[in-house]
Each structure stands twice: as structure tokens, then as C-alpha cells.
């Protein structure tokens, strides 16, 4: 049987003094490939590899866990652009199949690659702003770094 602690938590003024994080500003900075905290340092060291920390403010980027969310979001965004365009073109114009593939496939490929890094930066900025996955000031004990 698990017993619960009945000791009340005593809140102090210092508990409420945490860094304010604007979600939209952090996502905008991440979308531009910049540090979500200061907006100055680079977020990425390679195409999809985040830097270990910000060169300007020293924010540690290693706890981020973007995983597959950026890819899913890119699929949704590009799909909402390409599918209506394809349906409109195919219903109003009778283009040959080879022309359709020659136009739609490269556009889909280039648009997906162009959006992948900015969307991943926005996801990392969102995680930082919401204090997710180790971006908080006091990470829980007993969880080893990955």
C-alpha cells in the first residue's frame, strides 16, 4: 500500500520567481533557427542536428525531444497545400499523368525539405517555453541524462 505525504507544501516568494517564457516568441525564434531564449545564438549545427548549447546565452539544447513531431507537422502542412492544389488542377485541367508527376513530386519534396528544419526549431522553442523535457530549472532527481 502506498502512503501519501500529508505535509503541506510551503510556497515562498522565491518559488514564484521563475523566468517568464513567451511561447510564440520562442517558437518564432526557433523557426528562424535561433536560440529560443535569446534569439541570438544558432540552434542548429547541421541540417537537423541541434547545437549542444547556445553560444550567446549558454542555454543547453540537449534535453530537447522533438523526435518525429516535426516530420508529422511537415506532412500535415505540405499535404494541406499540395492536395487542394492537385485536386483543383486535376478537376479544371486535364493534364497528362507524366506532367502531373513531374510537377507535384518535386514541389512536395522541396517544400518538405524546406520546412523540416524551421518546424523542428519551432518544436524545440515550444518545448523550451513550456519547460518540457528537462528545460525547467529543477529537473527531477533520478532521471539520467540521455
Amino acid at each position: 500500500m502506498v502512503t501519501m505525504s500529508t505535509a503541506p507544501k510551503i510556497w515562498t516568494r522565491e518559488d514564484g520567481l521563475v523566468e517568464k517564457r513567451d511561447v510564440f516568441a520562442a517558437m518564432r525564434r526557433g523557426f528562424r533557427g535561433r536560440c529560443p531564449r535569446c534569439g541570438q545564438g544558432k540552434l542548429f549545427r547541421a541540417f537537423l542536428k541541434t547545437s549542444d548549447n547556445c553560444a550567446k546565452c549558454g542555454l543547453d539544447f540537449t534535453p530537447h525531444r522533438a523526435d518525429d513531431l516535426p516530420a508529422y507537422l511537415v506532412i500535415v502542412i505540405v499535404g494541406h497545400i499540395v492536395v487542394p492544389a492537385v485536386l483543383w488542377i486535376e478537376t479544371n485541367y486535364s493534364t497528362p499523368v507524366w506532367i502531373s508527376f513531374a510537377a507535384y513530386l518535386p514541389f512536395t519534396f522541396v517544400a518538405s525539405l524546406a520546412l523540416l528544419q524551421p518546424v523542428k526549431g519551432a518544436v524545440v522553442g515550444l518545448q523550451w517555453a513550456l519547460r518540457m523535457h528537462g528545460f525547467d530549472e529543477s529537473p527531477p532527481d533520478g532521471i539520467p541524462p540521455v
Side-chain angles (χ1 to χ4, degrees), residues 78-109:
V78 173
H80 277 82
I81 294 169
V82 170
V83 170
V86 168
L87 290 175
W88 181 76
I89 290 171
E90 293 298 324
T91 55
N92 292 332
Y93 305 103
S94 182
T95 59
V97 174
W98 70 272
I99 291 178
S100 298
F101 281 131
Y104 305 144
L105 292 178
F107 175 77
T108 303
F109 181 72

Side-chain angles (χ1 to χ4, degrees), residues 6 12 18 21 57 60 66 77 83 89 113 130:
T6 59
T12 63
V18 295
R21 298 179 181 180
C57 68
D60 184 21
I77 293 167
V83 170
I89 290 171
L113 283 180
L130 296 179

